Amino acid sequence: MRAYVGVTAQEVKEFLESRVLDVSDVYAATGVFIAQNNDLDEEEIEYTLSLIAAEDALELKSDSSGSACVLAFEVPDEIIGATHEMSISLNAPLTWELLECCFEVSDDGEELTWFATQEIVNNLSSWLG
């Protein structure tokens, strides 16, 4: 299941170093969310969830944290503990190997710039400011 979490560039750096991100809940296209948004196609649902995660990232952002970012993961069923309206609870940390991509969030939260996992290292210093 594809899932999204809002973080700061500093948290991306820490994740890159440790290869582990321990979060309890992440945004995901749950059955309830899909049913409540049945006018949206799969791509629109994924985009909506990434924007919600972007709002969280903007709230976490400070002068020293660097850019707001959204991490997209492919979460295996075996670490999904519970399913909620628009999120899932995890019973294990997320690992770097599960990371699909990273988005840098614009200051207004309206624009997400996509980066492949292999591009993160090259862009991290600019995200950290």
Side-chain angles (χ1 to χ4, degrees):
M1 175 178 278
R2 181 62 57 99
Y4 302 89
V5 61
V7 295
T8 64
Q10 181 61 41
E11 290 171 308
V12 173
K13 179 179 184 276
E14 292 164 8
F15 178 41
L16 179 63
E17 291 167 355
S18 70
R19 315 298 267 189
V20 174
L21 184 66
D22 197 2
V23 292
S24 57
D25 291 89
V26 291
Y27 295 107
T30 64
V32 173
F33 188 80
I34 292 168
Q36 290 176 342
N37 295 279
N38 61 9
D39 57 324
L40 302 178
D41 66 25
E42 184 178 342
E43 189 173 308
E44 291 169 319
I45 285 173
E46 300 291 335
Y47 181 67
T48 299
L49 290 167
S50 62
L51 286 177
I52 294 168
E55 290 173 18
D56 286 357
L58 286 170
E59 288 178 18
L60 294 169
K61 187 178 169 188
S62 69
D63 291 340
S64 61
S65 68
S67 298
C69 298
V70 173
L71 299 175
F73 291 90
E74 194 60 43
V75 180
D77 291 342
E78 54 270 13
I79 70 167
I80 298 173
T83 302
H84 310 288
E85 184 178 331
M86 62 183 207
S87 66
I88 53 175
S89 295
L90 304 175
N91 56 27
L94 294 165
T95 61
W96 188 264
E97 295 74 32
L98 300 175
L99 184 64
E100 293 290 314
C101 65
C102 178
F103 299 96
E104 184 183 22
V105 181
S106 64
D107 288 337
D108 64 4
E110 296 297 316
E111 186 178 328
L112 303 177
T113 304
W114 181 90
F115 293 90
T117 55
Q118 61 269 27
E119 295 178 297
I120 293 171
V121 172
N122 296 335
N123 289 284
L124 192 55
S125 61
S126 68
W127 298 342
L128 289 166

